[in-house]
Amino acid sequence: MQQFIRYGLVGAAATAAHYAILIACVQWVHWPAWLASGYGAAIGAQVAYLGNRWFTFAHRAGIGASWLRFQALALAGALLGMVIVGVAVRVGIYYVLGQMAATAIVMLLSFVLNRAWTFR
């Protein structure tokens, strides 16, 4: 349970970075929400990797293998999030609400996979 709480704290920081990029890209640069979601996820993933490596899982093994595994899962999560946001916008749901749903789904899936595979 302690790991999950730490994972949530790191996730909050990564999510803040993700949402800041998402909103800035949609509101200021006028990108489609699904594309901004992917870009924000890429930035947030780097915040999440560092926090999870040292704070959540106290992973001390070489950085190379865990970084590659984490990035593979982050890419899969970003793609899933992009699809969810794209579908949400297409059916008339505000993009931030779509991103909130995507965040919840991806967070649960990525915790299980990161714990079992990336930082084992």
Side-chain angles (χ1 to χ4, degrees):
M1 187 59 153
Q2 183 179 4
Q3 274 187 337
F4 188 72
I5 292 168
R6 287 180 177 208
Y7 191 79
L9 292 172
V10 169
T15 301
H18 179 164
Y19 280 57
I21 297 295
L22 166 69
I23 292 167
C25 287
V26 170
Q27 299 299 321
W28 298 338
V29 189
H30 307 290
W31 285 7
W34 66 269
L35 183 60
S37 174
Y39 185 58
I43 301 301
Q46 305 322 302
V47 174
Y49 175 77
L50 294 173
N52 284 318
R53 177 176 167 80
W54 287 295
F55 181 66
T56 304
F57 299 111
H59 187 73
R60 300 296 183 244
I63 197 168
S66 67
W67 187 84
L68 288 173
R69 288 189 295 255
F70 189 88
Q71 297 309 315
L73 290 179
L75 176 60
L79 292 173
L80 177 59
M82 291 168 75
V83 168
I84 292 169
V85 170
V87 169
V89 169
R90 183 136 177 101
V91 299
I93 297 171
Y94 185 57
Y95 75 96
V96 175
L97 294 177
Q99 183 62 62
M100 291 169 72
T103 299
I105 292 166
V106 170
M107 181 182 146
L108 291 173
L109 291 173
S110 65
F111 173 76
V112 171
L113 294 171
N114 277 314
R115 183 174 185 204
W117 184 54
T118 306
F119 298 109
R120 63 183 150 107

